[in-house]
Amino acid sequence: MGQGFFGYNPPKFVTDAAKEALDKVECNQYSPTKGRPRLKKAIADAYSPFFGRKLNPDTEVTITTGANEGMLSAFMAFLEPGDEVIVFEPFFDQYISNIEMPGGKLIYVPIHPPASGASKTQSAAEWTVSLEELKSRISDKTRMIVLNSPHNPIGKVFSERELRAIGELCVQHNILILSDEVYDRLYYTPFTRIGTLSKELADLTLTVGSGGKNFYATGWRVGWLIGPEHLIKHVSAAHTRICYSSVSPLQEATAIGFERADEMGFWEESKREMKGKMDRFNQVWAELGLPYSDPEGGYFVLVNMAKVRLPPDYKFPAHVAERPRDFKLAWFLIMEIGVAAIPPTEFFTPENAHIVEDYMRFAVCKNDDVLETAKVRLRELKKYLQE
């Protein structure tokens, strides 16, 4: 229940495509550095309806070795030493090193939980960004801002209103937007892509996607960026120097996945199945009286465990005892309950870690029997609860 890898295989039509690709000579050799033409076309065809126009697969799409390498390529392409990048907390931890490698300076803006998050379950939409706080972090050195929607670990889907407000600031200050949308096929509320809201925002936005997240294949490391030619060409150039090209047979299989997903009804089935897993797993929190942030997208859920009383004489290892309370909760859950979860202070700076020290992140992208076993074990928390 900790790391966000899937507990089951990709759909058969995708794994069959991967097996068949291995028998093709051209799929066992280098792919073009910008990606296999078939995959770029498949992505352009799949995403053109969202952008309201025909995307050019040769100039507006580039393939990368996973979404993470794609983001590194973007930072390498556009950051000079001293350039500032605004990142919302909690953040995907890879953002940090990726921004620091080319000399970027991180500027943090927290996403605030609902004030009553410790007492009642609420939508993940109730986690909010203060626009005034964001404005105060913008300077003449601000080069980029990183967005993540649906959000890991909160499960928040930024609303169109929120995205327009953030986007207006980016247009006003000519700030590039890296929109991490790797969970873009798993949303349970209306989902808006910031790069589709206006021509001005499209010109500033690089949209990041992930075949691993889309098709339950996180080990395949197939990602992509979509954006205007004047941005994509620099990302492609950086990618060429970082790893030259990406895995050929898995690019081919991902292309076929996109080509067949609609006819197979895969996107709706995927969304329906994940929402079902989320709802069934979260029943245990209602039983225990532990509030959680009801996710609007993705496959993570944040649970508030302020009511869990850790035994005062419990012996934690030194490397755990010196960390915030959520690390102690994580250790206790593993050792005494038999369920792994991620302490979310790891996604915050030390200054803001207090915001989530009572929360834990659980991943529900697991087989149903694993989720049911976890629920049985989590019920053992009853004896540690206090009102």
Side-chain angles (χ1 to χ4, degrees):
M1 306 298 294
Q3 192 176 5
F5 59 84
F6 294 88
Y8 39 89
N9 271 336
K12 188 175 185 298
F13 72 93
V14 175
T15 55
D16 283 349
K19 294 170 186 176
E20 291 168 9
L22 290 170
D23 289 328
K24 299 177 182 178
V25 173
E26 68 274 17
C27 289
N28 287 292
Q29 309 306 321
Y30 295 125
S31 286
T33 60
K34 295 179 181 179
R36 296 186 70 76
R38 184 174 185 176
L39 178 55
K40 291 192 298 177
K41 181 180 184 303
I43 290 172
D45 289 346
Y47 282 85
S48 288
F50 303 131
F51 284 82
R53 63 181 182 82
K54 184 68 175 175
L55 294 173
N56 186 326
D58 295 321
T59 61
E60 295 181 286
V61 179
T62 196
I63 308 304
T64 58
T65 309
N68 186 40
E69 187 266 320
M71 290 186 276
L72 173 62
S73 295
F75 295 132
M76 287 290 188
F78 295 107
L79 296 183
E80 297 290 341
D83 283 347
E84 294 179 353
V85 182
I86 293 175
V87 172
F88 294 108
E89 301 179 80
F91 46 74
F92 176 49
D93 54 1
Q94 292 292 314
Y95 296 157
I96 309 310
S97 57
N98 286 353
I99 291 167
E100 290 176 338
M101 285 177 72
K105 179 183 177 183
L106 287 141
I107 305 296
Y108 298 99
V109 176
I111 306 176
H112 297 280
S116 54
S119 59
K120 65 178 181 178
T121 293
Q122 296 170 78
S123 169
E126 298 303 314
W127 289 69
T128 56
V129 172
S130 164
L131 204 59
E132 292 307 311
E133 205 167 5
L134 174 58
K135 289 178 182 177
S136 73
R137 301 295 198 276
I138 295 174
S139 76
D140 57 3
K141 294 182 179 179
T142 305
R143 179 62 168 146
M144 298 180 78
I145 187 169
V146 180
L147 283 171
N148 178 207
S149 181
H151 190 277
N152 169 21
I154 296 172
K156 175 185 176 67
V157 170
F158 280 81
S159 69
E160 180 177 339
R161 179 183 57 81
E162 290 172 314
L163 292 176
R164 286 191 182 280
I166 294 169
E168 185 177 323
L169 291 173
C170 292
V171 171
Q172 180 183 343
H173 297 277
N174 195 32
I175 300 170
L176 297 179
I177 302 165
L178 187 71
S179 188
D180 178 355
E181 299 177 11
V182 298
Y183 304 101
D184 70 336
R185 298 291 178 165
L186 294 172
Y187 56 88
Y188 322 121
T189 193
F191 174 56
T192 302
R193 303 168 191 274
I194 192 168
T196 68
L197 291 177
S198 70
K199 175 65 166 62
E200 293 78 11
L201 283 172
D203 285 344
L204 292 172
T205 302
L206 289 163
T207 300
V208 183
S210 166
K213 300 296 194 299
N214 285 171
F215 295 112
Y216 318 155
T218 58
W220 284 20
R221 314 309 297 147
V222 176
W224 56 85
L225 278 80
I226 298 170
E229 181 179 5
H230 66 270
L231 298 181
I232 286 292
K233 66 181 181 181
H234 297 297
V235 177
S236 298
H239 162 75
T240 300
R241 297 305 170 212
I242 291 170
C243 62
Y244 185 66
S245 68
S246 302
V247 181
S248 296
L250 301 182
Q251 286 191 59
E252 189 79 358
T254 303
I256 294 169
F258 271 109
E259 291 167 359
R260 298 198 59 197
D262 285 326
E263 71 174 90
M264 301 296 290
F266 174 70
W267 301 127
E268 288 305 313
E269 178 188 1
S270 174
K271 198 184 322 183
R272 183 171 59 253
E273 287 186 355
M274 194 65 75
K275 184 65 166 68
K277 289 177 183 291
M278 185 70 74
D279 290 345
R280 289 191 297 275
F281 178 68
N282 285 338
Q283 289 170 358
V284 74
W285 310 124
E287 292 176 29
L288 293 168
L290 292 176
Y292 60 93
S293 292
D294 193 12
E296 298 180 295
Y299 47 67
F300 297 113
V301 58
L302 279 180
V303 182
N304 190 292
M305 293 197 165
K307 294 179 182 177
V308 176
R309 181 178 180 273
L310 297 172
D313 57 348
Y314 193 84
K315 300 298 183 185
F316 292 100
H319 69 281
V320 175
E322 66 187 15
R323 302 299 294 271
R325 174 176 149 85
D326 62 334
F327 271 79
K328 300 179 184 69
L329 284 166
W331 180 270
F332 188 80
L333 285 173
I334 291 170
M335 302 304 294
E336 306 302 327
I337 305 299
V339 177
I342 298 295
T345 60
E346 189 70 4
F347 308 134
F348 275 80
T349 56
E351 293 76 17
N352 287 323
H354 63 90
I355 293 174
V356 289
E357 64 180 1
D358 285 323
Y359 285 88
M360 294 300 297
R361 190 198 78 174
F362 295 83
V364 306
C365 50
K366 313 297 177 183
N367 284 322
D368 288 346
D369 62 327
V370 172
L371 297 178
E372 290 305 315
T373 299
K375 287 165 65 176
V376 169
R377 295 180 181 182
L378 287 164
R379 290 184 183 109
E380 294 299 311
L381 283 173
K382 285 180 181 177
K383 54 190 165 188
Y384 301 104
L385 297 181
Q386 60 182 0
E387 290 300 326

